[in-house]
Amino acid sequence: NYPTNNSYLKNGTNVNFNCSVFGNALDSLFLYGTFNGTYSRNKTLNGITSGVLNSFKLNLSEGVYNWTCVTNTTLSTDYYYSNNRNFSMTIDSINPVINSLSVTTTTGSQTFVFTSNITEINIYSCNFTLYKANGLDFDSPTYTNKSYNCINESVIESAVATYNLSILVVDKAGNSKYSSTLFTISSGNN
């Protein structure tokens, strides 16, 4: 069945719900879900065949949804729910927001701390890359896609120089946001 349980999708347009059912004298397949705020029947396919992948398409807005497929037979009025019962899925089409990225240095120290303020409820990862600035170009990075806790990180750098710090935030649906800032580590010698 698709979307898989606990999945995140970045687009709610034409979301394809797939269900396969097996059995004799199958009659109808129903898509149940919380698509309108309450758990109820949403779509129906009649005349289904055992072992065939059946699809329903829905347009969904940002949010968390529970869903399942239910079938009945021509031999009974009973309804049969999928073996896995309910699935949960999230539509998240909004990129993370980086509200701020700041760097704190101390003159004479090669340790700096950077702090980021991020708005995103479905964070998957936060990574940073650090380059030493060399005029208009950047040298090879000293850190490349190093993960951090999405709030702050303390870093020790070996050289007194100007640096470019870049962060990349990715959410569970694959939406991302990038930000960078320049800062200088100084020796304190004038």
Side-chain angles (χ1 to χ4, degrees), residues 33-101:
T34 56
F35 309 119
N36 62 4
T38 60
Y39 198 81
S40 60
R41 185 186 304 177
N42 188 272
K43 297 263 187 176
T44 301
L45 290 174
N46 294 311
I48 59 172
T49 303
S50 179
V52 173
L53 184 65
N54 299 281
S55 297
F56 302 95
K57 288 193 184 288
L58 293 177
N59 291 319
L60 300 172
S61 58
E62 194 88 6
V64 178
Y65 301 95
N66 294 313
W67 71 278
T68 194
C69 287
V70 178
T71 189
N72 68 351
T73 69
T74 57
L75 304 176
S76 138
T77 58
D78 293 336
Y79 289 93
Y80 304 96
Y81 290 80
S82 74
N83 288 339
N84 296 328
R85 295 291 175 158
N86 292 307
F87 297 93
S88 176
M89 50 94 57
T90 301
I91 302 293
D92 181 354
S93 59
I94 299 172
N95 287 336
V97 175
I98 300 172
N99 300 302
S100 64
L101 172 60

Side-chain angles (χ1 to χ4, degrees), residues 169-189:
V169 180
V170 180
D171 69 19
K172 292 177 181 175
N175 303 303
S176 63
K177 185 66 175 182
Y178 166 88
S179 184
S180 67
T181 188
L182 288 172
F183 69 96
T184 301
I185 295 177
S186 59
S187 66
N189 298 331

Side-chain angles (χ1 to χ4, degrees), residues 19-174:
C19 303
S20 294
V21 292
F22 299 89
N24 297 319
L26 296 172
D27 184 27
S28 300
L29 182 68
F30 311 101
L31 177 65
Y32 276 74
T34 56
F35 309 119
N36 62 4
T38 60
Y39 198 81
S40 60
R41 185 186 304 177
N42 188 272
K43 297 263 187 176
T44 301
L45 290 174
N46 294 311
I48 59 172
T49 303
S50 179
V52 173
L53 184 65
N54 299 281
S55 297
F56 302 95
K57 288 193 184 288
L58 293 177
N59 291 319
L60 300 172
S61 58
E62 194 88 6
V64 178
Y65 301 95
N66 294 313
W67 71 278
T68 194
C69 287
V70 178
T71 189
N72 68 351
T73 69
T74 57
L75 304 176
S76 138
T77 58
D78 293 336
Y79 289 93
Y80 304 96
Y81 290 80
S82 74
N83 288 339
N84 296 328
R85 295 291 175 158
N86 292 307
F87 297 93
S88 176
M89 50 94 57
T90 301
I91 302 293
D92 181 354
S93 59
I94 299 172
N95 287 336
V97 175
I98 300 172
N99 300 302
S100 64
L101 172 60
S102 62
V103 177
T104 303
T105 62
T106 303
T107 301
S109 171
Q110 267 131 299
T111 299
F112 68 91
V113 175
F114 72 87
T115 304
S116 59
N117 180 303
I118 298 165
T119 302
E120 173 59 55
I121 60 171
N122 298 312
I123 288 181
Y124 176 72
S125 67
C126 294
N127 295 309
F128 74 91
T129 299
L130 184 67
Y131 293 91
K132 185 164 63 168
N134 182 7
L136 297 176
D137 298 322
F138 296 106
D139 290 342
S140 296
T142 33
Y143 294 97
T144 304
N145 290 325
K146 183 178 186 310
S147 67
Y148 75 103
N149 65 12
C150 301
I151 300 170
N152 59 41
E153 181 81 8
S154 179
V155 180
I156 299 174
E157 189 47 59
S158 61
V160 172
T162 298
Y163 291 89
N164 178 314
L165 172 69
S166 303
I167 64 170
L168 176 66
V169 180
V170 180
D171 69 19
K172 292 177 181 175

